[in-house]
Each structure stands twice: as C-alpha cells, then as structure tokens.
Amino acid sequence: MRDPMAELPRILLVDDNPTNLQILSEAIQQAGWTTLFATDGESAIEQAVYSPPDLILLDVMMPGINGFGVCQRLKANIHTQSIPIIFMTALSETVDKVQGLQLGAVDYITKPFQQDEVLARVNLHLKIYHLQQKLETQNTLLNQEIREKNIAEAQLHQLNQELENRVEVRTAELTEALQTIQRTQVQLVQSEKMSSLGQMVAGVAHEINNPVNFIYGNLRPAKEYFQELLALISHYQQEYSSPSQALQNHINEIELDFLQKDLLKLLDSLYIGADRIRQIVLSLRNFSRLDEADIKTVDIHEGIDSTLLILHHRLKASHNRPAIEIKKQYGDIPMVECYPSQLNQVFMNILANAIDAIEEYNQQRTIEDIQINPSKIRILTEVCNNDRVMIHITDNGPGILEKIREKLFNPFFTTKPVGKGTGLGLSISQQIVVKKHGGTITCDSTLGQDTTFTIDLPTRLLVPPDGMIQPKRL
Ligand SMILES: Nc1ncnc2c1ncn2[C@@H]1O[C@H](COP(=O)(O)OP(=O)(O)O)[C@@H](O)[C@H]1O
Ligand SMILES: [Mg+2]
C-alpha cells in the first residue's frame, strides 16, 4: 500500500475543460503535490485502476460518463474504492450534492475555484486518507497477529490435548499393570499360604486325631472298670468289716473315701477334655479341608462353626477382657456348592477382623461402657431367591470411615501396625468370593455403631474350576 505522506501525494484531476485543469494543476503543484490528468470519465477510471492516486478531483458535468458514474464505478472496484473523491461543480449548476456524498464522495468544491479553499480541502482529505490508510495497515497487521496467535493457541491446545491423552493412556496402563502385579502377588501369597498353612494344619490334625480317639474311646470302658473295682473294694469292706491295722493304715494313707469320689469326677473331666480336643481336631480338618480341596456341596453353617471354634480362644473372656458374644441367626439355607476350605478362610478373615476391631475399640472404652453395651458379633444367614445364600457378619466395633471403606479390599491395605496386619485378608476374601465363586462381598458401616460384611453366594458354582483370572502379561 502506498503511503501518501511518505511519497509526494498524487492528485488525479478530471475535467473536460482544459482551462479548469490548467488552473487546478498550477495550484496543486504549488503545494508540492504531483498532478495527473484525465479529460473524460473513461480515461479517469482507467488511470485510477492502473495506478491509484491519493485523491481525485472529479468534475460532475462531463460528456460521456459523468462524475457520479465515475465515482460509482471507482467505489465498486476493490483497488480504487478507498481513494477519496472530491466533486467539482459550477455554482450555476444545479447538482444533487447529497447524491454525490451518498455515492461515497468526501467533499465538494465549487467553480470558479478559490485556490486556498481547494488546497485546504485537498490537504484535509489527504490527511484523513493518510490516517485511514495507516489505521487500515495497523488493522491488517493486528488481524494478522490475532490470526497467528489463534493458530498458535489452537496448536498449543492440540498439543496439550495430545499430551493429556498420552498421560491418561500411560496412567491407565500403569494403573492396570500395578493392579495386575498386586493381583498376582495376592494369588501367589494366597496359594502359598493356603498350601503351606493348610497342609500343616491338616497334617497336625491328622496326627492328633488317632491318639485322641484312643483316649476318648478308652475313657468310657476305663470308667466302667474303675467303677467295678470300686464296687469290689466296697464288697471287700462289707465282707471284711474289721481289716488288719496295716490295711487300715493303707486305707487312711490313700484317703480311700476321697479317692473314690474324686476319681469319678476326674474321669468325667478327662472325658470332656478329650471330647473337646476331638472337636477341635475335627474343626481344623474341616477348616483346612485339604482332603477336599475340590468343589463340594456343603453346609455353610458347619464351616462357620468350625471357624468359630478355632477362634474360641479370642472370643472367650480372659483376665483383662470380657467375652465377645456370638449371636447366631442361622436361616434355613440350602447346601452350597463351593470350595469349602477357601470359603472357611473367608469366614476366618472376616471374623478375625471383627475381633481385632472390637479389641482395639474396647481398649478406648471404660469397663462400665463395655458392660452396658457388650461386644457382639452377629452371624445371620438367609436364602435369597432360592439360588443364592447371604451371610451377614456384623460387629459392634468402632465402624469404618468412608475413606477407609473405599480401600478395604485393596491388596496390602491395612490400618494395623506392622507385624499385625498384612492387608491381604479382605483382598484374598474378595478374590475367593468373586472370582472363585461368582459371588459378591460388600461392607456397610455406621461409625460408632457397627460394621457388616455381607457375602452373597450362588448355591451352584457358575465359575469354571480354574476360573481364577489369569494375570495378564505385562
Ligand atoms: N470389622 C471391621 N471393623 C473395622 N475395620 C475393619 C474391619 N474389617 C476390616 N477392617 C479394616 O480393613 C483393613 C483391611 O483388612 P484386611 O484386608 O483383613 O487386612 P488386615 O486385617 O491385615 O489389616 C483393616 O486393616 C481394617 O482397617
Ligand atoms: Mg485381616
């Protein structure tokens, strides 16, 4: 674009009257501007298009295409539309000035010319034109800058988006990889724990089983033999009512009367003790059920009872804590097809957690408080739609905070001190219930009131025997 102030301004004079042209050109040259001429409309347009001037002084009345026509065509052409046009009319001519201005002219001057007026008006419009051009240039530059900025912003936005997407994908991949590692670890720990602990428990139970059965089985006949011997002694005493002094001394020494009474009591308590050992051994075998590592259809209540028996020492009262009451509300539920030893492990984990929670809670409670509101674990079972059973295990421990509840089933999540908790109990339980049995395990809790774990199991196994999720290759 030309800068009309940087170079000499070029003024195009259009008039069919050579005298007028002469006068005007003299005035304009005096001002130091360059003049161009045209004597008719057509050649004026041609010149203006070919080399646009900085201003046009245009006569209205001309033969051929008149000033208004020229103005209209110049304003319609993109190359010439911004050139300021000043119309020239004779005072005597009756020209519609408004029409001229509407066509886009900037001003009028009248003939005969007042030289100063012409120069002043031309000067003014050159300045306005100059400012307009400058403004336009700046506008164009500004628009260009805005466009470039917008493009840069769009590119930045896109790059950002791409980066975010990549971060998201990578995070998802890493999260999944981490979860896979944790799952694999849990499975490893679980299988290792199950096999080594289970084998040991089953082995010990098996070894104790036989001798305990000898003792238990022989106690009854032993008692009968003793009773017969006691009857014989009493018979002797009747037949020989006055024993020798030596015999009497012996009778006194061994306190025969006391011995007779105590021996029977002693035998009874031996019997109770042996019976208890038998039951514990049975529970241990029931619990580990290594002999039944496969799928079995079993009574779930038996599994819970065995687990409770193993946990008995943690439930009963001791010198520094009251007993934890177990409230069983067993429903009339059908047998369940399952992996019994694994389900027992789930009951064990949940019940042990409940006892842990209660114990910890009670350390902060007063004896009176515990007496008013004693520690309890309720085990409720029910059938659901005839094809599922639900087991609810509720403790009245401290309850679980919402933000902890979200993480309960995460592998290695524990709130217990090092050495006490592994954080694996619930995560293993979840795998067993969900992956192995096609069931669900959920936790509900009200702070300061209770916590309930609910296991929902189908009565028929729907998951294939090797249905455990295989760890994905990383
Ligand atoms: N009945 C419960 N009451 C309160 N908190 C519980 C209960 N059961 C589980 N929790 C919380 O869940 C965590 C995870 O349990 P778990 O997976 O068995 O691991 P661990 O017992 O080794 O800590 C526990 O550390 C404890 O904070
Ligand atoms: Mg636990």
Side-chain angles (χ1 to χ4, degrees):
M1 203 173 284
R2 262 188 99 246
D3 180 350
M5 285 295 156
E7 298 169 32
L8 274 187
R10 295 156 71 240
I11 318 288
L12 175 59
L13 308 175
V14 190
D15 202 319
D16 56 329
N17 182 333
T19 321
N20 280 347
L21 283 181
Q22 177 76 34
I23 300 166
L24 276 174
S25 114
E26 272 170 18
I28 282 171
Q29 277 168 359
Q30 253 179 33
W33 302 323
T34 307
T35 44
L36 309 163
F37 307 100
T39 47
D40 63 81
E42 253 347 305
S43 63
I45 293 169
E46 217 168 276
Q47 268 202 63
V49 172
Y50 178 72
S51 167
D54 299 305
L55 190 138
I56 302 174
L57 282 171
L58 184 56
D59 188 18
V60 179
M61 299 296 215
M62 285 188 294
I65 173 167
N66 73 0
F68 289 159
V70 173
C71 180
Q72 208 163 14
R73 287 199 18 209
L74 289 176
K75 291 295 165 193
N77 187 326
I78 190 165
H79 301 292
T80 53
Q81 66 188 174
S82 59
I83 304 169
I85 294 174
I86 300 176
F87 278 126
M88 303 182 287
T89 54
L91 262 180
S92 55
E93 288 165 359
T94 49
V95 172
D96 185 353
K97 290 194 174 176
V98 176
Q99 189 192 353
L101 293 173
Q102 274 172 348
L103 284 173
V106 291
D107 211 348
Y108 271 92
I109 50 177
T110 42
K111 301 181 235 178
F113 301 118
Q114 294 291 314
Q115 200 165 321
D116 290 345
E117 188 199 340
V118 172
L119 290 183
R121 284 188 193 266
V122 169
N123 194 24
L124 173 70
H125 289 295
L126 275 175
K127 271 188 184 154
I128 293 175
Y129 182 50
H130 166 70
L131 284 176
Q132 274 175 349
Q133 297 284 301
K134 221 171 157 179
L135 220 59
E136 218 167 281
T137 314
Q138 278 173 0
N139 223 4
T140 315
L141 285 175
L142 212 65
N143 279 342
Q144 173 89 5
E145 246 173 59
I146 290 173
R147 254 200 313 279
E148 278 168 9
K149 202 171 140 236
N150 283 347
I151 290 172
E153 253 173 30
Q155 280 173 343
L156 205 67
H157 183 75
Q158 193 180 344
L159 277 177
N160 216 8
Q161 196 68 43
E162 275 170 23
L163 206 66
E164 265 174 30
N165 288 349
R166 272 163 55 189
V167 168
E168 214 168 280
V169 169
R170 198 84 194 106
T171 311
E173 280 172 4
L174 285 176
T175 312
E176 194 181 328
L178 185 69
Q179 282 172 352
T180 311
I181 290 172
Q182 290 187 331
R183 269 202 304 269
T184 318
Q185 266 176 322
V186 171
Q187 281 171 19
L188 283 177
V189 171
Q190 182 196 4
S191 48
E192 174 137 345
K193 222 166 127 177
M194 276 309 289
S195 60
S196 57
L197 193 74
Q199 271 168 9
M200 196 189 80
V201 169
V204 170
H206 180 79
E207 287 307 319
I208 297 175
N209 194 39
N210 281 347
V212 154
N213 275 333
F214 300 155
I215 298 170
Y216 181 77
N218 287 331
L219 273 173
R220 241 177 232 287
K223 189 178 173 186
E224 280 168 20
Y225 293 166
F226 273 123
Q227 276 171 327
E228 276 169 21
L229 281 175
L230 291 177
L232 182 68
I233 290 171
S234 135
H235 196 169
Y236 260 106
Q237 282 174 327
Q238 278 168 17
E239 296 268 327
Y240 300 99
S241 48
S242 12
S244 67
Q245 190 56 46
L247 201 54
Q248 190 57 51
N249 285 348
H250 197 166
I251 289 171
N252 291 345
E253 219 171 88
I254 63 168
E255 295 182 71
L256 185 62
D257 278 349
F258 172 77
L259 188 149
Q260 282 179 352
K261 277 187 223 127
D262 206 45
L263 186 61
L264 287 175
K265 277 196 218 156
L266 200 137
L267 283 171
D268 282 341
S269 62
L270 279 181
Y271 188 77
I272 291 168
D275 188 35
R276 189 149 167 70
I277 297 175
R278 260 183 69 225
Q279 279 181 34
I280 291 171
V281 168
L282 191 70
S283 294
L284 284 175
R285 294 179 63 184
N286 216 341
F287 180 78
S288 65
R289 289 192 105 140
L290 264 204
D291 42 339
E292 298 173 15
D294 292 334
I295 300 167
K296 283 262 154 156
T297 302
V298 298
D299 177 358
I300 291 284
H301 294 152
E302 265 180 24
I304 300 175
D305 288 343
S306 307
T307 312
L308 285 172
L309 213 111
I310 292 168
L311 287 169
H312 180 75
H313 69 287
R314 296 198 60 197
L315 295 166
K316 67 179 187 202
S318 74
H319 65 282
N320 59 357
R321 59 150 202 250
I324 298 173
E325 185 195 337
I326 296 289
K327 208 167 159 215
K328 292 185 202 170
Q329 291 181 296
Y330 288 173
D332 186 11
I333 58 170
M335 303 278 271
V336 175
E337 189 183 27
C338 63
Y339 295 87
S341 66
Q342 297 194 6
L343 270 196
N344 289 345
Q345 207 196 351
V346 173
F347 301 141
M348 176 68 119
N349 288 338
I350 295 177
L351 286 166
N353 278 346
I355 297 172
D356 285 346
I358 285 174
E359 273 179 1
E360 201 193 313
Y361 192 39
N362 284 352
Q363 275 170 8
Q364 303 150 21
R365 297 167 77 203
T366 59
I367 299 287
E368 294 78 36
D369 189 14
I370 297 174
Q371 275 162 354
I372 294 167
N373 193 5
S375 302
K376 262 188 273 198
I377 296 176
R378 190 187 65 182
I379 305 166
L380 188 149
T381 59
E382 58 183 345
V383 64
C384 183
N385 282 341
N386 244 351
D387 62 350
R388 306 186 75 82
V389 294
M390 300 239 261
I391 303 129
H392 309 270
I393 300 178
T394 306
D395 67 76
N396 63 349
I400 310 177
L401 284 170
E402 175 71 41
K403 69 172 197 283
I404 289 187
R405 200 141 33 105
E406 289 163 7
K407 301 187 202 144
L408 282 189
F409 296 100
N410 289 354
F412 305 106
F413 173 79
T414 180
T415 56
K416 295 170 193 171
V418 181
K420 186 136 197 278
T422 59
L424 285 175
L426 287 179
S427 131
I428 288 174
S429 301
Q430 191 183 45
Q431 288 216 8
I432 292 174
V433 172
V434 179
K435 301 281 187 292
K436 280 272 187 177
H437 292 86
T440 59
I441 175 168
T442 50
C443 171
D444 240 326
S445 181
T446 310
L447 266 194
Q449 270 186 27
D450 53 24
T451 300
T452 299
F453 281 86
T454 299
I455 303 162
D456 183 332
L457 286 175
T459 49
R460 299 289 315 274
L461 264 186
L462 307 166
V463 190
D466 60 347
M468 206 73 171
I469 296 181
Q470 289 303 313
K472 264 194 213 156
R473 252 174 233 290
L474 290 181

